[in-house]
Amino acid sequence: MAVEALKTVLEKLSAFKEGYAIYGANAANLYRDTPRTDSRVNIALALGSAKKSKKESEAILNELGYSIRHEWLEGLQSRTGKTVGIVIGEHPDTERHPAIQFHLPSLPWVSKGVRRGQSIECQLLGSMHPGVPVEDLIIGRLHSLSGRISGIESRIEDEIDELSSIFRSDTVIDLPYVLGELNMLELKVHPRLAGHIPPELEKYLDH
């Protein structure tokens, strides 16, 4: 992994104190039965508003010479157009600059995941950072798999594998919390997870 570029990102994030948490494969490896490597770095960023979080994430990426693209919340419009859910930074020098994805508070799990994740320790490049809790990670993946955010075609295999691995593991999951979030957000469980989920989630399968 491109150590120097990522160290710079983490140093800038540390200025936000309790406003971020590690997401994606790096966080999921805390909960999986078998770890998975991923060259991408995923960060949940909650700096009060989605607008401010988007601005700060884009400033970090611009300073490092990344090109920026967005993934959108499907069917959700703001006064200025589509609502951005993920800010994605990509660099032509992929050997030295990993892809970096910032998940914004416009995603319904991000603010809670960042707040609850301050007590979770996730190691990245030899230092400890907050990590999204397993319950919020599950909700984030189920939200993505529901098709409510664009770009799912490129993520579906990794996200199915991630959830299956978590549910196979011995990780303790607060299922009442997960069920409460599923009900509140009116989420379904992707049919490809059938046979891999706790019995409590079976009634949420999208047949």
Side-chain angles (χ1 to χ4, degrees):
M1 184 174 286
V3 173
E4 292 306 317
L6 187 52
K7 276 187 176 179
T8 300
V9 172
L10 294 174
E11 287 171 3
K12 292 183 178 298
L13 288 174
S14 65
F16 300 138
K17 300 187 183 299
E18 297 182 355
Y20 78 100
I22 305 301
Y23 182 56
N26 290 292
N29 282 341
L30 296 172
Y31 316 120
R32 293 173 58 104
D33 65 337
T34 54
R36 178 177 69 87
T37 59
D38 191 344
S39 61
R40 297 166 296 184
V41 177
N42 285 267
I43 298 159
L45 189 63
L47 304 179
S49 70
K51 182 178 181 180
K52 181 178 180 181
S53 301
K54 176 176 177 289
K55 179 180 178 181
E56 293 290 350
S57 61
E58 290 179 346
I60 291 172
L61 295 171
N62 279 323
E63 185 175 330
L64 290 171
Y66 279 75
S67 61
I68 295 172
R69 63 182 179 89
H70 302 123
E71 288 181 356
W72 316 89
L73 283 163
E74 296 290 357
L76 188 58
Q77 301 280 329
S78 68
R79 286 181 296 177
T80 56
K82 292 182 177 180
T83 298
V84 177
I86 308 174
V87 175
I88 300 173
E90 296 169 326
H91 199 282
D93 184 358
T94 56
E95 292 296 319
R96 298 177 58 193
H97 296 78
I100 301 172
Q101 302 184 359
F102 288 95
H103 300 255
L104 307 180
S106 48
L107 297 170
W109 58 269
V110 166
S111 292
K112 287 182 181 178
V114 169
R115 184 179 69 250
R116 296 176 71 241
Q118 298 308 303
S119 61
I120 306 293
E121 292 189 337
C122 182
Q123 185 171 345
L124 197 57
L125 295 184
S127 60
M128 304 306 292
H129 300 271
V132 171
V134 64
E135 297 85 8
D136 298 289
L137 191 149
I138 289 169
I139 293 298
R141 292 314 198 195
L142 292 177
H143 181 269
S144 174
L145 288 167
S146 73
R148 298 190 188 183
I149 183 85
S150 62
I152 182 56
E153 298 82 6
S154 64
R155 304 188 302 268
I156 187 168
E157 296 302 328
D158 286 346
E159 294 187 0
I160 292 290
D161 172 74
E162 194 167 275
L163 288 173
S164 299
S165 181
I166 288 171
F167 289 131
R168 285 195 305 267
S169 75
D170 295 327
T171 298
V172 176
I173 300 170
D174 183 351
L175 285 174
Y177 178 88
V178 173
L179 295 174
E181 294 296 298
L182 285 176
N183 288 323
M184 183 179 68
L185 299 173
E186 299 182 337
L187 290 177
K188 295 289 187 181
V189 174
H190 197 282
R192 285 185 53 190
L193 288 167
H196 302 284
I197 56 177
E200 294 89 340
L201 297 183
E202 289 179 357
K203 69 177 182 179
Y204 295 90
L205 278 167
D206 190 6
H207 295 290

